[in-house]
């Protein structure tokens, strides 16, 4: 499975684009920043009141100072509590709003991506981006904002207080800053690389879980538990190992930074004790200075630790924006298709998948007249399903032209084209919803219960639906797990019937059913095919004996066309296929 190519954005591009999502919330964001600044200002304010408390309260025994300073401390922390509450509430609201907005954008983009994207990318990574990566952006983003404004203002205000108290001692505090910045720059590159690997590993883990859930019957039947456990254990071990490396790198950054700050603090303690011999540096100055120094440690620690959050956020943003920058399915047609009136024509059509070396379809020319049933037969890999998938333009052809009523397929507006095509395949896709919603799925117009009941009756599905406890309101489980294969197929036929599209594609619609279910499904299909232009893909030739035209394909080419009796008379590829299947049945 091919992996998505990672686009490496510059950090500035990521910052600019991330903050673009904040524009509509700028008022709330401004209030949040204001609350951060107010909360940050309370810390140097507390350190400053230590001077009058020591000099006037303890040393001079000033009664006013003894009463007023504790009251002032309470006021400071009341203001801090209110500002912190406002900040926490607003940042949580903003974070949730941005996650909601970005997830909606990603989901909408996911729905509009071409089929080829899903061929090239595993579903686990797509899910991980929408579920995990977006949250990483906001968590890291608001962590960085908090550190930048709240802790940044706190540190600057405390440094200002230190300078005001004694600028010479303050020099010992800031002398370590360049060394801290150099360390942060070196380690940030490693953290960015580790974060990118972490996201790939989460995508792989999600994929393994998804496959184990969807294929749980096969896992049980074929004894695949140990194999799946090994796959999952390998994935989570990689995640754990990566997380340990990230934590170790971040811890190294934090530990060394704090050691450098501690060295500066030790020198301050020594020189402050020396200065205390003079009257210019009082006990209150000393306590105020040391309090401010100690209070710097916590925000400085968060500032040095923010590197990990920053790199996680940037890596998540890189992943999300790479996904959002994938081009939507090309829809450059302007012609509106209102039914099929003449024919579908393949004119010298060739096609190959990006991962293939050879053409899957090789110079195919084929005419499908309106109202006729065309059967595509041949061995696996001959190009039958690919040819059918080109009609609703799931893929764009390499060369040649496909015409619908004389109009180039590329010139037809995509939604208009697909509104005229219905599909019933062997891999029936149903949703974890009610029977009613599955039959009426995706229809733009209002559908009455009577219409849904008629479609179910038409598809021979009403009998089993009436036996269910909640009838049409019955929830059918993930992909219809509470229904049998034949029941699921009949719901798919009812859905196609209700859509009432003039072009019908049947891809092995009865291949996986027992005889009784196949009979019921085939009866429903025969009614559905009536008066429609139908392309039937079949391995069992007995299901297409009465087709208006049988098209035999080998290695992406059309080798024979005709009715059943005429092709048998040719004694060629079709006759060989038919004889093999007849002998097998005997």
């Amino acid at each position: 499975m091919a992996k998505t190519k990672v686009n490496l954005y510059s950090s500035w591009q990521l910052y600019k684009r991330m903050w673009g999502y904040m524009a509509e919330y700028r008022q709330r964001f401004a209030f949040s920043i204001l609350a951060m600044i107010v909360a940050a200002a309370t810390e140097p304010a507390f350190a400053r009141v230590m001077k009058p408390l020591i000099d006037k309260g303890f040393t001079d025994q000033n009664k006013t100072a003894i009463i007023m300073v504790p009251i002032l401390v309470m006021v400071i922390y009341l203001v801090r509590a209110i500002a912190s509450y406002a900040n926490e509430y607003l940042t949580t609201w903003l974070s949730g709003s941005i996650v909601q907005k970005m997830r909606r954008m990603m989901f909408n983009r996911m729905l509009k991506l071409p089929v080829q994207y899903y061929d090239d990318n595993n579903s686990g990574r797509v899910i991980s981006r929408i579920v995990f990566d977006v949250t990483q952006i906001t968590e890291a983003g608001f962590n960085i904002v908090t550190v930048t404004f709240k802790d940044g203002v706190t540190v600057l205000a405390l440094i200002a207080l230190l300078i005001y108290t004694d600028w010479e001692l303050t020099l010992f505090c800031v002398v370590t800053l360049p060394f801290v910045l150099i360390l942060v720059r070196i380690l940030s590159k490693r953290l960015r690389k580790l974060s990118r690997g972490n996201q790939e590993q989460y995508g792989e883990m999600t994929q393994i879980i998804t496959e184990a859930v969807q294929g749980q019957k096969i896992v049980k039947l074929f004894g695949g538990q140990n194999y799946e456990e090994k796959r999952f254990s390998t994935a989570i071990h990689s995640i754990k190992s990566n997380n340990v490396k990230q934590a170790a790198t971040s811890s190294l950054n934090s530990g060394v930074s704090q050691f450098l700050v501690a060295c500066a603090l030790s020198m301050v303690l020594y020189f402050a004790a020396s200065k205390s011999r003079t009257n210019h540096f009082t006990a209150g100055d000393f306590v105020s200075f040391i309090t401010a120094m100690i209070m710097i440690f916590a925000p400085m620690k968060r500032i040095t630790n923010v590197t990990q959050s920053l790199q996680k956020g940037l890596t998540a943003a890189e992943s999300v924006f790479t996904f959002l920058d994938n081009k939507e399915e090309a829809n450059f047609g302007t012609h509106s298709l209102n039914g099929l009136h003449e024919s579908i024509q393949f004119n010298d059509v060739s096609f190959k998948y990006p991962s293939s070396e050879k053409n899957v379809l090789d110079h195919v020319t084929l005419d499908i007249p309106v109202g006729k049933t065309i059967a595509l037969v041949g061995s696996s890999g001959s190009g039958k399903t690919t040819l059918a998938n080109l009609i609703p333009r799931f893929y764009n052809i390499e060369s040649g032209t496909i015409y619908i009523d004389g109009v180039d397929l590329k010139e037809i507006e995509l939604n208009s084209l697909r509104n005229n095509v219905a599909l019933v395949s062997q891999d029936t896709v149903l949703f974890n919803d009610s029977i009613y919603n599955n039959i009426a799925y995706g229809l733009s117009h209002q559908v009455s219960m009577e219409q849904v009941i008629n479609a179910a009756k038409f598809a021979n599905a009403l009998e089993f639906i009436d036996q269910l406890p909640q009838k049409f309101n019955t929830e059918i489980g993930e992909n219809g797990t509470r229904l049998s294969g034949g029941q699921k197929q009949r719901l798919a036929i009812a859905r196609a019937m209700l859509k009432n599209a003039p072009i019908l594609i049947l891809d092995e619609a009865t291949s996986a059913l027992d005889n009784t279910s196949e009979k019921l499904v085939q009866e429903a299909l025969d009614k559905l095919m009536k008066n429609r232009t139908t392309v039937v893909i079949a391995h069992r030739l007995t299901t297409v004996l009465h087709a208006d035209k049988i098209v035999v394909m080998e290695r992406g080419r059309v080798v024979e066309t005709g009715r059943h009796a005429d092709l048998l008379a040719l004694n060629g590829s079709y006759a060989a296929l038919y004889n093999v299947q007849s002998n097998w049945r005997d």
Side-chain angles (χ1 to χ4, degrees), residues 68-126:
M68 293 304 298
V69 170
I71 293 174
L72 187 57
V73 169
M74 287 191 293
V75 171
I76 288 171
Y77 275 88
L78 177 62
V79 172
R80 179 185 178 87
I82 295 171
S84 296
Y85 172 81
N87 169 53
E88 187 68 27
Y89 177 85
L90 288 169
T91 53
T92 303
W93 188 92
L94 287 166
S95 176
S97 298
I98 292 171
V99 167
Q100 178 183 342
K101 181 179 180 179
M102 295 187 76
R103 278 186 177 147
R104 186 185 296 116
M105 290 177 62
M106 293 182 74
F107 189 78
N108 289 343
R109 179 55 56 93
M110 182 192 76
L111 295 176
K112 296 175 183 177
L113 289 173
V115 174
Q116 189 64 55
Y117 179 87
Y118 296 97
D119 294 344
D120 295 339
N121 296 272
N122 70 64
S123 58
R125 186 67 190 103
V126 175

Side-chain angles (χ1 to χ4, degrees), residues 225-244:
Q225 290 94 336
N226 290 337
Y227 174 71
E228 295 301 329
E229 285 176 4
K230 288 178 182 177
R231 289 178 69 202
F232 188 71
S233 295
T234 300
I236 60 177
H237 175 76
S238 297
I239 291 172
K240 183 200 77 172
S241 177
N242 191 297
N243 285 336
V244 169

Side-chain angles (χ1 to χ4, degrees), residues 19 32 58 73 77 81 92 98 108-110 115 176 185 254 256 263 268 270 330 339-340 356 379 456 487 510 565 571:
W19 291 117
S32 173
F58 285 89
V73 169
Y77 275 88
T92 303
I98 292 171
N108 289 343
R109 179 55 56 93
M110 182 192 76
V115 174
T176 58
R185 185 174 181 83
S254 177
V256 174
C263 291
V268 166
Y270 173 78
L340 181 65
S356 303
S379 59
Q487 290 170 340
T510 63
N571 200 29

Side-chain angles (χ1 to χ4, degrees), residues 393-524:
R393 234 182 78 198
F394 288 148
Y395 302 95
N396 291 310
I397 58 178
E398 301 292 321
S399 62
T401 312
I402 301 174
Y403 297 100
I404 293 185
D405 288 346
V407 179
D408 190 334
L409 195 69
K410 294 178 181 178
E411 296 178 5
I412 301 174
E413 198 276 327
L414 201 54
N415 291 327
S416 171
L417 169 64
R418 290 174 182 171
N419 285 337
N420 287 271
V421 181
L423 169 68
V424 180
S425 69
Q426 60 178 330
D427 299 321
T428 308
V429 176
L430 297 173
F431 300 89
N432 188 16
D433 206 335
S434 67
I435 287 176
Y436 173 92
N437 287 336
N438 271 282
I439 293 176
Y441 181 78
L443 296 179
S444 57
H445 58 276
Q446 193 70 25
V447 179
S448 68
M449 177 58 79
E450 184 181 1
Q451 289 174 296
V452 173
I453 291 172
N454 288 337
K457 184 178 180 179
F458 180 93
N460 294 334
L462 192 59
E463 181 182 356
F464 82 81
I465 293 173
D466 282 340
Q467 294 175 357
L468 296 172
Q470 293 178 291
K471 301 186 182 336
F472 282 89
N473 292 323
T474 302
E475 300 281 330
I476 63 174
E478 185 179 358
N479 205 25
T481 52
R482 296 170 191 159
L483 303 176
S484 69
Q487 290 170 340
K488 290 193 285 186
Q489 284 292 64
R490 281 177 274 169
L491 286 189
I493 293 169
R495 182 166 61 197
M497 174 59 196
L498 195 60
K499 185 176 183 181
N500 197 27
I503 302 169
L504 177 64
I505 299 173
L506 304 178
D507 187 356
E508 296 290 343
T510 63
S511 64
L513 304 178
D514 59 80
N515 291 335
T516 303
S517 296
E518 182 180 1
K519 182 180 178 181
L520 290 169
V521 170
Q522 191 60 55
E523 287 176 0

Side-chain angles (χ1 to χ4, degrees), residues 99-202:
V99 167
Q100 178 183 342
K101 181 179 180 179
M102 295 187 76
R103 278 186 177 147
R104 186 185 296 116
M105 290 177 62
M106 293 182 74
F107 189 78
N108 289 343
R109 179 55 56 93
M110 182 192 76
L111 295 176
K112 296 175 183 177
L113 289 173
V115 174
Q116 189 64 55
Y117 179 87
Y118 296 97
D119 294 344
D120 295 339
N121 296 272
N122 70 64
S123 58
R125 186 67 190 103
V126 175
I127 295 168
S128 177
R129 278 180 160 143
I130 298 174
V131 174
F132 176 71
D133 291 0
V134 174
T135 307
Q136 286 283 90
I137 292 177
T138 55
E139 284 182 357
F142 281 100
N143 187 22
I144 293 162
V145 168
T146 301
V147 169
T148 302
F149 286 94
K150 186 178 179 181
D151 292 334
V153 169
T154 299
V155 170
L156 291 174
L158 288 170
I159 289 175
L161 176 61
L162 293 174
I163 293 172
Y164 175 78
T165 305
D166 193 298
W167 68 269
E168 292 177 328
L169 290 178
T170 305
L171 288 177
F172 292 111
C173 300
V174 299
V175 74
T176 58
L177 187 60
F179 299 101
V180 173
L181 293 176
I182 292 170
L183 179 68
V184 168
R185 185 174 181 83
I186 292 171
L187 295 180
S188 64
K189 292 182 179 180
R190 175 168 172 77
L191 285 170
R192 181 84 169 266
K193 182 179 179 182
L194 289 170
S195 295
R196 192 177 292 126
N198 200 44
Q199 289 181 338
E200 293 295 331
Q201 290 157 2
Y202 267 100

